[in-house]
Amino acid sequence: MAQISDEPALVLHVRPYRESSQLVDMLTLHQGRVAALYKGARRRATPLTTFATFSASWYGRDGLVTLKAPDSVQALWVAGRAAAGAFYIAELLMRLLRERQPVPELFAAACYTLQQCAAGASLRLILRPFEWQLLEELGIAPDLLTDALTGAPVVSGAWYAFMTEQGFALKAEARAAAEEGAAAGDSAAHRWDQGQLLLSGAALRAIDNREFSDPAVNAAAQRLFRLLTEPLLGGRALRSRELLQNLRS
């Protein structure tokens, strides 16, 4: 029977089990996402809470492992929109990551982004970099700087259409519209053309540089992330995303 000791862990979700135990979904530094049974948790002084970080030790091989008493537990408290943002991060990780897939850089990014949520940082600015890092870990982040069909560098003053499993390609008939929009001061970074997502070359370059302060670029990056992850979610909406939308309204 395998045993793991002193593994840095982040609680993604926790729920009661029977009279005194907890079922814990956690993301760990070296072992990836792990589901664990924490026996007698609710009889202890410090049961685990969502978003807490701790030093995890467990035994078991595949599937549900048995968690030993956690050490160095650091709770994280969030409320309001910050809580919705934190639940969004946790739900993405639970829905999109396979179990036991090591993602050490994403683990660090998740812990940092959750701390930023608790500190009151702008969700719009902290969620986009996390989303893009998640895309890279999943291996579905498209090349944003090269035309997928010609290999030419992306030009800021043009529009590019997203093609599934290929990337972005110049939308030739949209070039004039892009130039007209720029002359008129149009700040839109994405638009739809007959059901196809188009992003401006300037927006693609900004996203590649992780520059999300421009609201138009931020919105374009958010739309692209949704388009890329929808097939992986199997048609089931994210509950945390609906909560964020309700809080905005």
Side-chain angles (χ1 to χ4, degrees), residues 183-249:
D186 185 2
S187 61
H190 78 283
R191 60 180 62 175
W192 293 92
D193 180 20
Q194 298 181 349
Q196 190 171 38
L197 177 65
L198 273 62
L199 266 68
S200 70
L204 290 172
R205 289 183 170 276
I207 295 170
D208 188 74
N209 289 328
R210 309 299 189 266
E211 297 171 355
F212 300 107
S213 57
D214 183 337
V217 171
N218 198 287
Q222 184 180 37
R223 181 63 264 181
L224 177 58
F225 178 81
R226 291 188 181 186
L227 189 63
L228 290 166
T229 54
E230 277 173 359
L232 303 180
L233 293 172
R236 294 167 50 211
L238 291 170
R239 297 177 62 186
S240 54
R241 182 177 288 161
E242 295 175 351
L243 178 58
L244 277 168
Q245 292 171 342
N246 291 337
L247 286 172
R248 290 193 192 100
S249 60

Side-chain angles (χ1 to χ4, degrees), residues 122-167:
S122 169
L123 292 182
R124 182 172 60 85
L125 296 180
I126 64 175
L127 291 181
R128 299 296 87 78
F130 175 78
E131 289 173 343
W132 195 259
Q133 188 161 351
L134 178 57
L135 291 178
E136 291 180 332
E137 290 286 356
L138 294 172
I140 58 173
D143 184 347
L144 302 178
L145 300 181
T146 307
D147 189 308
L149 296 183
T150 67
V154 163
V155 178
S156 294
W159 287 82
Y160 292 81
F162 176 71
M163 301 182 298
T164 304
E165 298 183 357
Q166 290 182 284

Side-chain angles (χ1 to χ4, degrees), residues 2-9 26 28-31 54-60 66-71:
Q3 295 195 43
I4 301 294
S5 299
D6 302 322
E7 173 72 4
M26 56 187 180
T28 67
L29 179 60
H30 302 106
Q31 303 295 319
F54 66 103
S55 180
S57 299
W58 68 83
Y59 57 91
T66 300
L67 188 67
K68 297 180 181 179
D71 191 21

Side-chain angles (χ1 to χ4, degrees), residues 99-124:
E99 287 192 9
R100 308 303 175 93
Q101 173 188 355
V103 284
E105 292 184 0
L106 189 61
F107 173 85
C111 292
Y112 172 78
T113 308
L114 287 169
Q115 290 169 357
Q116 291 294 297
C117 282
S122 169
L123 292 182
R124 182 172 60 85

